[in-house]
Amino acid sequence: MPRGAGGHNRPLNNKGLMVTKERGVLIVFEGIDGTGKSTQISLLEKFLRQGGWQVSATREPTAGYFGQRIRDLYRNRHNVTPEEECELFLSDRREHVDKCINPALASGKIVLCDRYFLSTAAYQGAAGLDPQMIIERNQFAPEPDLAFIFEISAEESIRRITHSRGEQPNDFEQLDSLKEVDKLFRSFNLPYIRRIDGTQAIEQVSKQILFHTVRLLDERYGTGPQ
Ligand code: TYD
């Protein structure tokens, strides 16, 4: 595991072996809109960098060609079918995996990704597609080591978008569909999922995220950030 300049005191794992050739780890943040994912990603990124780890923080939809086309749908979702919408998210992810996620993992970085394929399974699942089929179509995408699913109610999500952010909910952020999305997120059962109660205070949530992350790094490399 390559370290940044701050990783001076932990070049070896607890078995005394150099840890330079291992794949990095992929930690993804999922949940309906307004759950606090980006705040927690920033906090975790800062914590890891201070511990000397090399981190790549990224997001979907990306800023690339397909990500831009997806953003064009925020106020025009009715212009595409659920199938077409799903294809856009898959194309965006393929590009993201090839250009960003896989290279970062190959160089041993900790990749923090704001939304990943469980978002496609939940949102495009709520739009009428089969969530299981969507997960299977994402086999090109490396499996996360940890997927945090942040849980708040759909009503709270809308409240945070309108009151805290002062925004108008877009076409992906309508109450009835968010209820469906939330239900699907709560139904997923995969070994790497950790559920986080997003109604807790930021510090409480952060503690839980750090706990799971440190445990993962410890299991993987025999040494976690201190
Ligand atoms: P969001 O995280 O809000 O991105 P940004 O803040 O950069 O605009 O994601 C945009 C919307 O896209 C959000 O409502 C969830 C939805 N989405 C899907 O429907 N499917 C997907 O696969 C992903 C990644 C996002």
PDB file of all heavy atoms in Angstrom, residues 93-126:
ATOM      1  N   ARG A  93     -20.607   4.729 -15.674  1.00  0.00           N
ATOM      2  CA  ARG A  93     -19.809   3.916 -14.730  1.00  0.00           C
ATOM      3  C   ARG A  93     -18.683   3.186 -15.455  1.00  0.00           C
ATOM      4  O   ARG A  93     -17.574   3.082 -14.925  1.00  0.00           O
ATOM      5  CB  ARG A  93     -20.723   2.924 -13.993  1.00  0.00           C
ATOM      6  CG  ARG A  93     -19.958   2.073 -12.974  1.00  0.00           C
ATOM      7  CD  ARG A  93     -20.879   1.481 -11.916  1.00  0.00           C
ATOM      8  NE  ARG A  93     -21.704   2.529 -11.363  1.00  0.00           N
ATOM      9  CZ  ARG A  93     -23.039   2.573 -11.479  1.00  0.00           C
ATOM     10  NH1 ARG A  93     -23.691   1.601 -12.069  1.00  0.00           N
ATOM     11  NH2 ARG A  93     -23.730   3.590 -10.992  1.00  0.00           N
ATOM     12  N   ARG A  94     -18.948   2.664 -16.642  1.00  0.00           N
ATOM     13  CA  ARG A  94     -17.886   1.956 -17.379  1.00  0.00           C
ATOM     14  C   ARG A  94     -16.683   2.863 -17.578  1.00  0.00           C
ATOM     15  O   ARG A  94     -15.547   2.474 -17.330  1.00  0.00           O
ATOM     16  CB  ARG A  94     -18.412   1.502 -18.748  1.00  0.00           C
ATOM     17  CG  ARG A  94     -18.642   0.028 -18.765  1.00  0.00           C
ATOM     18  CD  ARG A  94     -19.013  -0.522 -20.120  1.00  0.00           C
ATOM     19  NE  ARG A  94     -20.087  -1.467 -19.896  1.00  0.00           N
ATOM     20  CZ  ARG A  94     -21.358  -1.252 -20.146  1.00  0.00           C
ATOM     21  NH1 ARG A  94     -21.743  -0.111 -20.707  1.00  0.00           N
ATOM     22  NH2 ARG A  94     -22.262  -2.148 -19.864  1.00  0.00           N
ATOM     23  N   GLU A  95     -16.982   4.082 -17.995  1.00  0.00           N
ATOM     24  CA  GLU A  95     -15.911   5.046 -18.224  1.00  0.00           C
ATOM     25  C   GLU A  95     -15.189   5.370 -16.906  1.00  0.00           C
ATOM     26  O   GLU A  95     -13.964   5.443 -16.845  1.00  0.00           O
ATOM     27  CB  GLU A  95     -16.530   6.320 -18.808  1.00  0.00           C
ATOM     28  CG  GLU A  95     -15.571   7.207 -19.517  1.00  0.00           C
ATOM     29  CD  GLU A  95     -16.322   8.310 -20.253  1.00  0.00           C
ATOM     30  OE1 GLU A  95     -16.575   9.368 -19.634  1.00  0.00           O
ATOM     31  OE2 GLU A  95     -16.672   8.105 -21.431  1.00  0.00           O
ATOM     32  N   HIS A  96     -15.972   5.539 -15.854  1.00  0.00           N
ATOM     33  CA  HIS A  96     -15.425   5.869 -14.536  1.00  0.00           C
ATOM     34  C   HIS A  96     -14.516   4.750 -14.020  1.00  0.00           C
ATOM     35  O   HIS A  96     -13.413   4.988 -13.517  1.00  0.00           O
ATOM     36  CB  HIS A  96     -16.608   6.085 -13.570  1.00  0.00           C
ATOM     37  CG  HIS A  96     -16.249   6.740 -12.284  1.00  0.00           C
ATOM     38  ND1 HIS A  96     -16.970   6.527 -11.132  1.00  0.00           N
ATOM     39  CD2 HIS A  96     -15.254   7.588 -11.944  1.00  0.00           C
ATOM     40  CE1 HIS A  96     -16.429   7.236 -10.158  1.00  0.00           C
ATOM     41  NE2 HIS A  96     -15.391   7.888 -10.618  1.00  0.00           N
ATOM     42  N   VAL A  97     -14.987   3.511 -14.165  1.00  0.00           N
ATOM     43  CA  VAL A  97     -14.210   2.355 -13.717  1.00  0.00           C
ATOM     44  C   VAL A  97     -12.899   2.263 -14.503  1.00  0.00           C
ATOM     45  O   VAL A  97     -11.825   2.099 -13.921  1.00  0.00           O
ATOM     46  CB  VAL A  97     -15.058   1.053 -13.864  1.00  0.00           C
ATOM     47  CG1 VAL A  97     -14.188  -0.191 -13.790  1.00  0.00           C
ATOM     48  CG2 VAL A  97     -16.149   1.005 -12.797  1.00  0.00           C
ATOM     49  N   ASP A  98     -13.000   2.406 -15.825  1.00  0.00           N
ATOM     50  CA  ASP A  98     -11.804   2.249 -16.668  1.00  0.00           C
ATOM     51  C   ASP A  98     -10.789   3.363 -16.445  1.00  0.00           C
ATOM     52  O   ASP A  98      -9.593   3.116 -16.352  1.00  0.00           O
ATOM     53  CB  ASP A  98     -12.187   2.264 -18.161  1.00  0.00           C
ATOM     54  CG  ASP A  98     -12.897   0.983 -18.547  1.00  0.00           C
ATOM     55  OD1 ASP A  98     -12.894   0.041 -17.735  1.00  0.00           O
ATOM     56  OD2 ASP A  98     -13.471   0.945 -19.659  1.00  0.00           O
ATOM     57  N   LYS A  99     -11.290   4.586 -16.379  1.00  0.00           N
ATOM     58  CA  LYS A  99     -10.365   5.726 -16.359  1.00  0.00           C
ATOM     59  C   LYS A  99      -9.922   6.126 -14.967  1.00  0.00           C
ATOM     60  O   LYS A  99      -8.890   6.746 -14.798  1.00  0.00           O
ATOM     61  CB  LYS A  99     -11.033   6.949 -17.006  1.00  0.00           C
ATOM     62  CG  LYS A  99     -11.205   6.810 -18.487  1.00  0.00           C
ATOM     63  CD  LYS A  99     -11.540   8.163 -19.098  1.00  0.00           C
ATOM     64  CE  LYS A  99     -11.712   8.030 -20.596  1.00  0.00           C
ATOM     65  NZ  LYS A  99     -12.541   9.101 -21.142  1.00  0.00           N
ATOM     66  N   CYS A 100     -10.743   5.833 -13.969  1.00  0.00           N
ATOM     67  CA  CYS A 100     -10.448   6.380 -12.641  1.00  0.00           C
ATOM     68  C   CYS A 100     -10.354   5.292 -11.561  1.00  0.00           C
ATOM     69  O   CYS A 100      -9.329   5.163 -10.890  1.00  0.00           O
ATOM     70  CB  CYS A 100     -11.544   7.407 -12.324  1.00  0.00           C
ATOM     71  SG  CYS A 100     -11.542   7.994 -10.653  1.00  0.00           S
ATOM     72  N   ILE A 101     -11.407   4.490 -11.401  1.00  0.00           N
ATOM     73  CA  ILE A 101     -11.453   3.582 -10.244  1.00  0.00           C
ATOM     74  C   ILE A 101     -10.406   2.472 -10.366  1.00  0.00           C
ATOM     75  O   ILE A 101      -9.608   2.267  -9.446  1.00  0.00           O
ATOM     76  CB  ILE A 101     -12.874   3.003 -10.045  1.00  0.00           C
ATOM     77  CG1 ILE A 101     -13.839   4.149  -9.706  1.00  0.00           C
ATOM     78  CG2 ILE A 101     -12.881   1.922  -8.964  1.00  0.00           C
ATOM     79  CD1 ILE A 101     -15.279   3.741  -9.510  1.00  0.00           C
ATOM     80  N   ASN A 102     -10.389   1.777 -11.497  1.00  0.00           N
ATOM     81  CA  ASN A 102      -9.423   0.677 -11.624  1.00  0.00           C
ATOM     82  C   ASN A 102      -7.968   1.139 -11.535  1.00  0.00           C
ATOM     83  O   ASN A 102      -7.177   0.522 -10.810  1.00  0.00           O
ATOM     84  CB  ASN A 102      -9.669  -0.118 -12.914  1.00  0.00           C
ATOM     85  CG  ASN A 102     -10.735  -1.196 -12.707  1.00  0.00           C
ATOM     86  OD1 ASN A 102     -11.044  -1.547 -11.560  1.00  0.00           O
ATOM     87  ND2 ASN A 102     -11.289  -1.703 -13.788  1.00  0.00           N
ATOM     88  N   PRO A 103      -7.602   2.230 -12.238  1.00  0.00           N
ATOM     89  CA  PRO A 103      -6.202   2.693 -12.086  1.00  0.00           C
ATOM     90  C   PRO A 103      -5.866   3.062 -10.642  1.00  0.00           C
ATOM     91  O   PRO A 103      -4.771   2.762 -10.156  1.00  0.00           O
ATOM     92  CB  PRO A 103      -6.130   3.911 -13.011  1.00  0.00           C
ATOM     93  CG  PRO A 103      -7.224   3.714 -14.015  1.00  0.00           C
ATOM     94  CD  PRO A 103      -8.313   2.979 -13.296  1.00  0.00           C
ATOM     95  N   ALA A 104      -6.800   3.708  -9.948  1.00  0.00           N
ATOM     96  CA  ALA A 104      -6.513   4.104  -8.556  1.00  0.00           C
ATOM     97  C   ALA A 104      -6.350   2.864  -7.673  1.00  0.00           C
ATOM     98  O   ALA A 104      -5.440   2.794  -6.835  1.00  0.00           O
ATOM     99  CB  ALA A 104      -7.626   5.004  -8.025  1.00  0.00           C
ATOM    100  N   LEU A 105      -7.203   1.861  -7.884  1.00  0.00           N
ATOM    101  CA  LEU A 105      -7.087   0.624  -7.086  1.00  0.00           C
ATOM    102  C   LEU A 105      -5.774  -0.096  -7.410  1.00  0.00           C
ATOM    103  O   LEU A 105      -5.096  -0.610  -6.518  1.00  0.00           O
ATOM    104  CB  LEU A 105      -8.273  -0.308  -7.350  1.00  0.00           C
ATOM    105  CG  LEU A 105      -9.632   0.147  -6.805  1.00  0.00           C
ATOM    106  CD1 LEU A 105     -10.730  -0.814  -7.242  1.00  0.00           C
ATOM    107  CD2 LEU A 105      -9.592   0.273  -5.282  1.00  0.00           C
ATOM    108  N   ALA A 106      -5.418  -0.101  -8.694  1.00  0.00           N
ATOM    109  CA  ALA A 106      -4.184  -0.788  -9.097  1.00  0.00           C
ATOM    110  C   ALA A 106      -2.964  -0.133  -8.476  1.00  0.00           C
ATOM    111  O   ALA A 106      -1.962  -0.794  -8.198  1.00  0.00           O
ATOM    112  CB  ALA A 106      -4.072  -0.794 -10.627  1.00  0.00           C
ATOM    113  N   SER A 107      -3.045   1.178  -8.243  1.00  0.00           N
ATOM    114  CA  SER A 107      -1.886   1.845  -7.632  1.00  0.00           C
ATOM    115  C   SER A 107      -1.977   1.821  -6.110  1.00  0.00           C
ATOM    116  O   SER A 107      -1.190   2.476  -5.433  1.00  0.00           O
ATOM    117  CB  SER A 107      -1.722   3.265  -8.175  1.00  0.00           C
ATOM    118  OG  SER A 107      -2.787   4.063  -7.720  1.00  0.00           O
ATOM    119  N   GLY A 108      -2.948   1.099  -5.579  1.00  0.00           N
ATOM    120  CA  GLY A 108      -3.000   0.860  -4.134  1.00  0.00           C
ATOM    121  C   GLY A 108      -3.735   1.918  -3.326  1.00  0.00           C
ATOM    122  O   GLY A 108      -3.652   1.944  -2.105  1.00  0.00           O
ATOM    123  N   LYS A 109      -4.476   2.790  -4.008  1.00  0.00           N
ATOM    124  CA  LYS A 109      -5.143   3.869  -3.273  1.00  0.00           C
ATOM    125  C   LYS A 109      -6.429   3.412  -2.592  1.00  0.00           C
ATOM    126  O   LYS A 109      -7.023   2.401  -2.970  1.00  0.00           O
ATOM    127  CB  LYS A 109      -5.496   5.007  -4.232  1.00  0.00           C
ATOM    128  CG  LYS A 109      -4.283   5.758  -4.711  1.00  0.00           C
ATOM    129  CD  LYS A 109      -4.711   6.963  -5.513  1.00  0.00           C
ATOM    130  CE  LYS A 109      -3.497   7.726  -5.973  1.00  0.00           C
ATOM    131  NZ  LYS A 109      -3.818   8.709  -6.990  1.00  0.00           N
ATOM    132  N   ILE A 110      -6.838   4.222  -1.630  1.00  0.00           N
ATOM    133  CA  ILE A 110      -8.170   4.045  -1.043  1.00  0.00           C
ATOM    134  C   ILE A 110      -9.116   4.911  -1.871  1.00  0.00           C
ATOM    135  O   ILE A 110      -8.954   6.128  -1.939  1.00  0.00           O
ATOM    136  CB  ILE A 110      -8.201   4.498   0.432  1.00  0.00           C
ATOM    137  CG1 ILE A 110      -7.242   3.650   1.267  1.00  0.00           C
ATOM    138  CG2 ILE A 110      -9.625   4.408   0.975  1.00  0.00           C
ATOM    139  CD1 ILE A 110      -7.124   4.090   2.716  1.00  0.00           C
ATOM    140  N   VAL A 111     -10.065   4.267  -2.537  1.00  0.00           N
ATOM    141  CA  VAL A 111     -10.999   4.999  -3.383  1.00  0.00           C
ATOM    142  C   VAL A 111     -12.306   5.206  -2.624  1.00  0.00           C
ATOM    143  O   VAL A 111     -12.909   4.236  -2.146  1.00  0.00           O
ATOM    144  CB  VAL A 111     -11.260   4.239  -4.703  1.00  0.00           C
ATOM    145  CG1 VAL A 111     -12.247   5.002  -5.574  1.00  0.00           C
ATOM    146  CG2 VAL A 111      -9.957   3.994  -5.456  1.00  0.00           C
ATOM    147  N   LEU A 112     -12.711   6.466  -2.490  1.00  0.00           N
ATOM    148  CA  LEU A 112     -13.985   6.798  -1.848  1.00  0.00           C
ATOM    149  C   LEU A 112     -14.923   7.272  -2.948  1.00  0.00           C
ATOM    150  O   LEU A 112     -14.633   8.262  -3.618  1.00  0.00           O
ATOM    151  CB  LEU A 112     -13.799   7.923  -0.820  1.00  0.00           C
ATOM    152  CG  LEU A 112     -12.706   7.736   0.234  1.00  0.00           C
ATOM    153  CD1 LEU A 112     -12.666   8.947   1.170  1.00  0.00           C
ATOM    154  CD2 LEU A 112     -12.920   6.448   1.023  1.00  0.00           C
ATOM    155  N   CYS A 113     -16.021   6.558  -3.153  1.00  0.00           N
ATOM    156  CA  CYS A 113     -16.905   6.915  -4.268  1.00  0.00           C
ATOM    157  C   CYS A 113     -18.309   7.269  -3.776  1.00  0.00           C
ATOM    158  O   CYS A 113     -18.954   6.468  -3.095  1.00  0.00           O
ATOM    159  CB  CYS A 113     -16.947   5.768  -5.282  1.00  0.00           C
ATOM    160  SG  CYS A 113     -17.765   6.223  -6.802  1.00  0.00           S
ATOM    161  N   ASP A 114     -18.732   8.478  -4.117  1.00  0.00           N
ATOM    162  CA  ASP A 114     -20.062   8.969  -3.784  1.00  0.00           C
ATOM    163  C   ASP A 114     -21.038   8.412  -4.817  1.00  0.00           C
ATOM    164  O   ASP A 114     -21.067   8.880  -5.947  1.00  0.00           O
ATOM    165  CB  ASP A 114     -20.020  10.511  -3.842  1.00  0.00           C
ATOM    166  CG  ASP A 114     -21.267  11.150  -3.265  1.00  0.00           C
ATOM    167  OD1 ASP A 114     -22.276  10.464  -3.093  1.00  0.00           O
ATOM    168  OD2 ASP A 114     -21.212  12.374  -3.004  1.00  0.00           O
ATOM    169  N   ARG A 115     -21.767   7.399  -4.469  1.00  0.00           N
ATOM    170  CA  ARG A 115     -22.701   6.624  -5.314  1.00  0.00           C
ATOM    171  C   ARG A 115     -21.942   5.659  -6.229  1.00  0.00           C
ATOM    172  O   ARG A 115     -20.890   5.974  -6.779  1.00  0.00           O
ATOM    173  CB  ARG A 115     -23.600   7.509  -6.173  1.00  0.00           C
ATOM    174  CG  ARG A 115     -24.534   8.396  -5.375  1.00  0.00           C
ATOM    175  CD  ARG A 115     -25.640   8.924  -6.282  1.00  0.00           C
ATOM    176  NE  ARG A 115     -26.548   9.779  -5.533  1.00  0.00           N
ATOM    177  CZ  ARG A 115     -27.500   9.338  -4.725  1.00  0.00           C
ATOM    178  NH1 ARG A 115     -27.670   8.052  -4.569  1.00  0.00           N
ATOM    179  NH2 ARG A 115     -28.286  10.170  -4.081  1.00  0.00           N
ATOM    180  N   TYR A 116     -22.592   4.481  -6.396  1.00  0.00           N
ATOM    181  CA  TYR A 116     -22.002   3.424  -7.225  1.00  0.00           C
ATOM    182  C   TYR A 116     -23.158   2.538  -7.670  1.00  0.00           C
ATOM    183  O   TYR A 116     -24.307   2.995  -7.704  1.00  0.00           O
ATOM    184  CB  TYR A 116     -20.978   2.680  -6.368  1.00  0.00           C
ATOM    185  CG  TYR A 116     -19.927   1.872  -7.104  1.00  0.00           C
ATOM    186  CD1 TYR A 116     -19.222   2.384  -8.174  1.00  0.00           C
ATOM    187  CD2 TYR A 116     -19.630   0.581  -6.686  1.00  0.00           C
ATOM    188  CE1 TYR A 116     -18.243   1.644  -8.813  1.00  0.00           C
ATOM    189  CE2 TYR A 116     -18.647  -0.176  -7.314  1.00  0.00           C
ATOM    190  CZ  TYR A 116     -17.955   0.362  -8.380  1.00  0.00           C
ATOM    191  OH  TYR A 116     -16.986  -0.378  -9.005  1.00  0.00           O
ATOM    192  N   PHE A 117     -22.912   1.253  -7.926  1.00  0.00           N
ATOM    193  CA  PHE A 117     -23.978   0.506  -8.611  1.00  0.00           C
ATOM    194  C   PHE A 117     -25.226   0.224  -7.772  1.00  0.00           C
ATOM    195  O   PHE A 117     -26.282  -0.045  -8.325  1.00  0.00           O
ATOM    196  CB  PHE A 117     -23.455  -0.750  -9.294  1.00  0.00           C
ATOM    197  CG  PHE A 117     -22.840  -1.805  -8.410  1.00  0.00           C
ATOM    198  CD1 PHE A 117     -23.603  -2.564  -7.547  1.00  0.00           C
ATOM    199  CD2 PHE A 117     -21.474  -2.058  -8.504  1.00  0.00           C
ATOM    200  CE1 PHE A 117     -23.027  -3.571  -6.776  1.00  0.00           C
ATOM    201  CE2 PHE A 117     -20.881  -3.052  -7.736  1.00  0.00           C
ATOM    202  CZ  PHE A 117     -21.658  -3.814  -6.864  1.00  0.00           C
ATOM    203  N   LEU A 118     -25.134   0.302  -6.438  1.00  0.00           N
ATOM    204  CA  LEU A 118     -26.370   0.105  -5.667  1.00  0.00           C
ATOM    205  C   LEU A 118     -27.336   1.271  -5.902  1.00  0.00           C
ATOM    206  O   LEU A 118     -28.551   1.101  -5.808  1.00  0.00           O
ATOM    207  CB  LEU A 118     -26.078  -0.076  -4.171  1.00  0.00           C
ATOM    208  CG  LEU A 118     -25.310  -1.347  -3.807  1.00  0.00           C
ATOM    209  CD1 LEU A 118     -25.037  -1.401  -2.305  1.00  0.00           C
ATOM    210  CD2 LEU A 118     -26.050  -2.615  -4.252  1.00  0.00           C
ATOM    211  N   SER A 119     -26.793   2.454  -6.251  1.00  0.00           N
ATOM    212  CA  SER A 119     -27.679   3.575  -6.626  1.00  0.00           C
ATOM    213  C   SER A 119     -28.451   3.233  -7.890  1.00  0.00           C
ATOM    214  O   SER A 119     -29.637   3.536  -7.997  1.00  0.00           O
ATOM    215  CB  SER A 119     -26.881   4.866  -6.850  1.00  0.00           C
ATOM    216  OG  SER A 119     -26.624   5.521  -5.633  1.00  0.00           O
ATOM    217  N   THR A 120     -27.766   2.622  -8.852  1.00  0.00           N
ATOM    218  CA  THR A 120     -28.468   2.248 -10.093  1.00  0.00           C
ATOM    219  C   THR A 120     -29.544   1.208  -9.794  1.00  0.00           C
ATOM    220  O   THR A 120     -30.673   1.303 -10.271  1.00  0.00           O
ATOM    221  CB  THR A 120     -27.475   1.688 -11.139  1.00  0.00           C
ATOM    222  OG1 THR A 120     -26.249   2.392 -11.030  1.00  0.00           O
ATOM    223  CG2 THR A 120     -28.025   1.809 -12.541  1.00  0.00           C
ATOM    224  N   ALA A 121     -29.179   0.221  -8.951  1.00  0.00           N
ATOM    225  CA  ALA A 121     -30.153  -0.826  -8.614  1.00  0.00           C
ATOM    226  C   ALA A 121     -31.364  -0.215  -7.904  1.00  0.00           C
ATOM    227  O   ALA A 121     -32.509  -0.615  -8.149  1.00  0.00           O
ATOM    228  CB  ALA A 121     -29.489  -1.895  -7.742  1.00  0.00           C
ATOM    229  N   ALA A 122     -31.127   0.773  -7.023  1.00  0.00           N
ATOM    230  CA  ALA A 122     -32.239   1.350  -6.257  1.00  0.00           C
ATOM    231  C   ALA A 122     -33.045   2.358  -7.093  1.00  0.00           C
ATOM    232  O   ALA A 122     -34.277   2.276  -7.147  1.00  0.00           O
ATOM    233  CB  ALA A 122     -31.705   2.018  -4.992  1.00  0.00           C
ATOM    234  N   TYR A 123     -32.353   3.301  -7.754  1.00  0.00           N
ATOM    235  CA  TYR A 123     -33.092   4.356  -8.480  1.00  0.00           C
ATOM    236  C   TYR A 123     -33.722   3.820  -9.767  1.00  0.00           C
ATOM    237  O   TYR A 123     -34.877   4.097 -10.052  1.00  0.00           O
ATOM    238  CB  TYR A 123     -32.170   5.538  -8.814  1.00  0.00           C
ATOM    239  CG  TYR A 123     -31.939   6.471  -7.647  1.00  0.00           C
ATOM    240  CD1 TYR A 123     -30.973   6.195  -6.685  1.00  0.00           C
ATOM    241  CD2 TYR A 123     -32.692   7.630  -7.494  1.00  0.00           C
ATOM    242  CE1 TYR A 123     -30.754   7.049  -5.615  1.00  0.00           C
ATOM    243  CE2 TYR A 123     -32.482   8.489  -6.427  1.00  0.00           C
ATOM    244  CZ  TYR A 123     -31.519   8.198  -5.494  1.00  0.00           C
ATOM    245  OH  TYR A 123     -31.316   9.042  -4.431  1.00  0.00           O
ATOM    246  N   GLN A 124     -32.946   3.066 -10.564  1.00  0.00           N
ATOM    247  CA  GLN A 124     -33.535   2.564 -11.806  1.00  0.00           C
ATOM    248  C   GLN A 124     -34.443   1.372 -11.495  1.00  0.00           C
ATOM    249  O   GLN A 124     -35.384   1.089 -12.220  1.00  0.00           O
ATOM    250  CB  GLN A 124     -32.452   2.229 -12.830  1.00  0.00           C
ATOM    251  CG  GLN A 124     -31.898   3.467 -13.560  1.00  0.00           C
ATOM    252  CD  GLN A 124     -31.285   4.521 -12.626  1.00  0.00           C
ATOM    253  OE1 GLN A 124     -30.337   4.228 -11.904  1.00  0.00           O
ATOM    254  NE2 GLN A 124     -31.851   5.718 -12.622  1.00  0.00           N
ATOM    255  N   GLY A 125     -34.197   0.711 -10.354  1.00  0.00           N
ATOM    256  CA  GLY A 125     -35.130  -0.320  -9.866  1.00  0.00           C
ATOM    257  C   GLY A 125     -36.464   0.328  -9.525  1.00  0.00           C
ATOM    258  O   GLY A 125     -37.533  -0.166  -9.913  1.00  0.00           O
ATOM    259  N   ALA A 126     -36.417   1.466  -8.835  1.00  0.00           N
ATOM    260  CA  ALA A 126     -37.658   2.171  -8.482  1.00  0.00           C
ATOM    261  C   ALA A 126     -38.366   2.686  -9.733  1.00  0.00           C
ATOM    262  O   ALA A 126     -39.573   2.887  -9.726  1.00  0.00           O
ATOM    263  CB  ALA A 126     -37.346   3.332  -7.538  1.00  0.00           C
TER     264      ALA A 126
END
